[in-house]
Every structure is written in C-alpha cells, then in structure tokens.
C-alpha cells in the first residue's frame, strides 16, 4: 500500500508540474505576441535601414575618392597651362610653342570630360546595385519575420488547463466586426485561427527609376542625365511606378501589422536618403562637367587675347564625342548535347 500511495502522489506531482510548465509556456507565448514581438519590426528594419544608409554614403565616398587624385592632377595641369599662357607667346616666333600648349590643353580637356563621364557611369552602377540589394534584403527580412510569427502558437492552441473556464474571452472591437461584416468573413470565435491577409510587397523599381536617362526636368539627355539602365529600358513609366515585389500571404494580427508598418517606414526613410544622394551626386557631376566647359571657353578667350584676335588656332575647338555604351551581350544559347548513338536493338530469338 505504501508504494501505491507513493506512486499516486508522484503521478499527481508530475501532472501538476506539467500543468505549470504548460501555463508558463502559454503566458510566454502570449507575452511574445502582445508585447515583445510588437517591437520586432523596429528592431529588424530599423537596423537594416540605418546600416544601408551608412553603406550608401561609404560606397559613394569610395567611388568619389577613387578619382580624386586624377582630378587634382588635371586641375594642376590646367593651372600650369594658364600660367604658361602669357605675353611671351604672342610673337610669331613663339607660334610653335603656342600650338604645342594649345594641344596639351586640348588633350587635358578631353581627359577631364572622359573622366567625368566615367565617374558618372561608376556612380550609377554603384547606386543601382545598392538600390536593388536594399529592396531584396528588406523583402527577405519581412517574409522571414512573417513566417516566424506564423509559427508561434495562439492562446487557444494550448490544452485547457484548470481555471481556464473562469477567464473572460476578449470581445472583438467594433472596427473589426464592421470589417468582418463588409468582407463577409467572420473570425473564429474560439480564437484558434486568424483572418488570412496578403501583405503588399515593396515597389520593385522605384529606387532605380531615379537613375534613368533623364534629368530633373524630364529632358531626354543632358549633362545631368545618367547612363542608360538596360534592365529597365523595356519598361513603361507606369510599370516602373506600379510594379511590386511579390505579396506575402499570411494572417492579420497586431504583430503582422506592426511588421508591415515598420517595413514601410524604414523603406521610406532609406528612399528619402537615396533620392537625396542621387540628387547631390548628379548635381556634383554635372557641375564638374559644366566647370570644365566654362574653363574651356575661358581658355579660348585667353588664347585669342594672346594672338591679338588674329584668328583661331588649330585644335582650339575641342569636341568630345559622347561614347555610346555598348549593350550587354545576349545570353549565349545553351550548348547542344552531342547526339547519342542509339543502341542496336537485340534481335528476337527465333
């Protein structure tokens, strides 16, 4: 009898411990949904947005610093040419030296314009890569967070425990009931399921559309325009603004809504910073090219003053042709597999 009573007490203690563990796990799950996970979106997307903005500034600074030494050399060469262009080159005996100096400045001007366009191309490639990477990373984080939240059990998924019959079932809000009446989809009164919802994706090409071949006023080509983007060349303006990343099929809950709102808030924050950097870099690159062109006009005037208005010197008018970037080569067709020899069929035995 002693062993029977001992085993019975041991069983009751084990059942009580299981109930307490299940109750604590349910409380932890409810706390996650009602308090902790409400801050998940801000933690996930806030960190990604801040890090992406920092990377944006660092990468653009690296692109700018890559040619800073070359620009300093070109500027010093221009200053040296203007210093050499003095009254000593006005006489007919100095015509050869004047022509040589004009030729050197023409070569320097050509190098400067080509370097300016090279900077513009590298900046566009950098910005387009960062834009695509940010949108994809943001969409991947949102989808992963939604899947993790969907795996978290609801309060009603746990087994009924002693004392649950005294708990008051939370009543749905009037806004939710009106929405259910409008959609015709009534929520599960037991609380075991959530309303299904498809969460809209982010704009796919909105950031890269800021780098299309047009300036701020919408002109087709100008000194402020970016190199063409062949990945978006076949899309209409309406498609560029309306095409979205794939929607995420999930459920409707406060945690899901907070994730969705936090993702959109930090996407807009990165978008504003991205557009600001695009505008700054576009204006800086255009200003550099405009300054070179203005310097070339000033150089022409100085040369004609040295000549005394006798007429233009050869190679004084320099025209740098706009190099048309080559289109990416088409994808190579798949190599055909060598024809396989058919095995001779075995002759039927007679």
């Amino acid at each position: 009898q002693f062993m029977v009573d001992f085993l019975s007490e041991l069983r009751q203690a084990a059942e009580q411990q299981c109930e307490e563990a299940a109750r604590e796990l349910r409380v932890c799950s409810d706390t996650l949904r009602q308090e902790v996970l409400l801050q998940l979106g801000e933690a996930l997307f806030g960190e990604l947005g801040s890090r992406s903005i920092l990377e944006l500034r660092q990468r653009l600074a690296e692109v700018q610093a890559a040619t800073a030494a070359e620009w300093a050399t070109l500027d010093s060469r221009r200053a040296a040419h203007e210093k050499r262009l003095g009254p000593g080159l006005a006489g007919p005996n100095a015509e050869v030296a004047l022509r040589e100096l004009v030729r050197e400045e023409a070569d320097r001007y050509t190098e400067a314009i080509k370097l300016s366009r090279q900077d513009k191309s590298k900046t566009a490639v950098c910005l387009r890569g960062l834009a695509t990477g940010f949108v994809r990373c943001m969409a991947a984080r949102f989808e992963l967070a939604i899947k993790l939240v969907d795996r978290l059990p609801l309060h009603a998924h746990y087994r009924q425990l002693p004392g649950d019959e005294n708990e008051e079932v939370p009543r749905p809000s009037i806004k939710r009931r009106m929405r259910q009446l409008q959609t015709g989809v009534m929520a599960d009164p037991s609380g075991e399921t959530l309303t299904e919802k498809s969460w809209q994706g982010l704009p796919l090409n909105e950031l890269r559309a800021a780098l299309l071949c047009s300036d701020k006023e919408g002109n087709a080509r100008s000194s402020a325009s970016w190199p063409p983007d062949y990945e978006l060349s076949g899309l209409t303006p309406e498609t560029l603004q309306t095409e979205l990343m794939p929607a995420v099929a999930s459920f409707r809950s406060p945690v899901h809504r907070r994730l969705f709102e936090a993702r959109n808030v930090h996407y807009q924050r990165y978008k504003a910073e991205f557009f600001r950097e695009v505008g700054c870099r576009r204006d800086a690159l255009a200003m550099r090219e405009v300054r070179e062109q203005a310097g070339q006009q000033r150089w022409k005037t100085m040369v004609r003053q040295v000549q005394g208005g006798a007429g233009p010197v050869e190679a004084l008018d320099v025209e740098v042709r706009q190099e048309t970037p080559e289109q990416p080569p088409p994808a190579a067709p798949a190599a055909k597999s060598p024809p396989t020899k058919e095995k001779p069929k075995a002759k039927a035995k007679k």
Side-chain angles (χ1 to χ4, degrees):
Q1 184 66 28
F2 170 76
M3 291 300 300
V4 174
D5 295 342
F6 175 75
L7 293 175
S8 177
E9 293 176 1
L10 186 62
R11 181 178 180 181
Q12 291 179 1
E15 291 180 353
Q16 185 177 2
Q17 290 180 358
C18 290
E19 290 179 0
E20 292 298 328
R23 195 183 304 276
E24 292 179 2
L25 182 60
R26 187 174 64 179
V27 170
C28 181
S29 178
D30 293 342
T31 304
L32 284 175
R33 280 191 174 272
Q34 297 171 7
E35 299 178 10
V36 178
L37 291 182
L38 293 178
Q39 309 300 325
L40 177 63
E42 187 65 26
L44 277 178
F45 304 116
E47 184 274 337
L48 176 61
S50 299
R51 179 163 50 85
S52 299
I53 291 175
L54 180 61
E55 182 184 7
L56 172 67
R57 295 171 179 170
Q58 291 178 347
R59 293 282 299 277
L60 288 177
E62 291 174 0
V63 172
Q64 183 178 4
T67 56
E70 297 182 48
W71 280 116
T73 302
L74 291 172
D75 292 341
S76 62
R77 287 171 58 186
R78 171 179 285 278
H81 292 165
E82 292 180 352
K83 186 176 181 180
R84 288 169 55 189
L85 186 64
L89 299 178
N93 297 332
E95 182 179 357
V96 176
L98 178 61
R99 291 179 182 273
E100 180 65 20
L101 179 60
V102 170
R103 185 188 61 79
E104 291 178 4
E105 174 58 25
D107 294 341
R108 190 215 63 84
Y109 173 72
T110 303
E111 293 177 13
I113 295 298
K114 289 183 178 180
L115 183 60
S116 175
R117 294 171 183 175
Q118 180 182 353
D119 283 351
K120 188 181 300 182
S121 178
K122 290 183 178 180
T123 303
V125 171
C126 176
L127 288 170
R128 287 164 182 164
L130 291 173
T132 302
F134 173 76
V135 173
R136 290 179 179 176
C137 190
M138 182 75 76
R141 284 203 176 191
F142 178 72
E143 184 177 359
L144 179 59
I146 289 294
K147 289 182 178 179
L148 289 176
V149 173
D150 291 345
R151 297 297 185 273
L152 189 65
L154 300 174
H155 183 88
H157 290 165
Y158 293 90
R159 189 186 63 175
Q160 290 290 329
L161 300 175
D164 288 349
E165 62 276 1
N166 299 327
E167 294 183 0
E168 184 179 357
V169 180
R171 302 177 61 181
S173 63
I174 298 178
K175 180 180 178 181
R176 180 175 298 179
R177 296 182 63 181
M178 292 297 297
R179 184 169 61 244
Q180 294 171 0
L181 291 175
Q182 292 176 358
T183 58
V185 179
M186 302 302 295
D188 185 4
S190 64
E192 296 183 358
T193 60
L194 296 173
T195 307
E196 295 184 358
K197 180 177 175 57
S198 180
W199 298 98
Q200 189 181 51
L202 291 172
L204 181 59
N205 299 313
E206 184 179 18
L207 298 180
R208 291 190 62 157
L211 295 164
L212 294 180
C213 305
S214 60
D215 57 10
K216 294 179 292 185
E217 288 74 15
N219 300 325
R221 294 292 297 175
S222 71
S223 60
S225 62
W226 295 102
D229 189 348
Y230 293 105
E231 294 184 16
L232 306 182
S233 58
L235 301 179
T236 61
E238 293 77 12
T239 305
L240 291 173
Q241 298 297 328
T242 58
E243 189 175 5
L244 304 174
M245 295 286 288
V248 180
S250 183
F251 304 95
R252 184 196 303 272
S253 76
V255 179
H256 292 79
R257 186 176 66 254
R258 286 289 187 90
L259 287 172
F260 180 75
E261 292 174 352
R263 184 201 68 177
N264 293 344
V265 165
H266 291 286
Y267 171 79
Q268 294 296 331
R269 182 166 70 98
Y270 182 85
K271 171 185 170 182
E273 186 66 23
F274 184 84
F275 283 0
R276 190 186 71 82
E277 291 291 342
V278 169
C280 291
R281 295 306 303 154
R282 176 185 54 209
D283 295 342
L285 292 169
M287 184 62 65
R288 163 63 74 171
E289 192 165 340
V290 168
R291 190 173 68 177
E292 285 293 333
Q293 294 172 355
Q296 181 67 7
Q297 294 297 327
R298 185 175 67 253
W299 173 259
K300 293 179 183 180
T301 304
M302 294 171 62
V303 171
R304 291 193 175 96
Q305 288 178 352
V306 171
Q307 290 180 313
V313 180
E314 295 178 3
L316 187 59
D317 296 326
V318 182
E319 181 180 359
V320 183
R321 296 183 179 181
Q322 179 71 31
E323 298 180 0
T324 56
E326 298 180 358
Q327 297 186 4
K336 297 182 179 180
S337 58
T340 56
K341 298 181 180 180
E342 297 182 358
K343 297 182 179 180
K345 298 181 179 178
K347 297 182 180 179
K349 297 182 179 181
K350 295 183 179 179

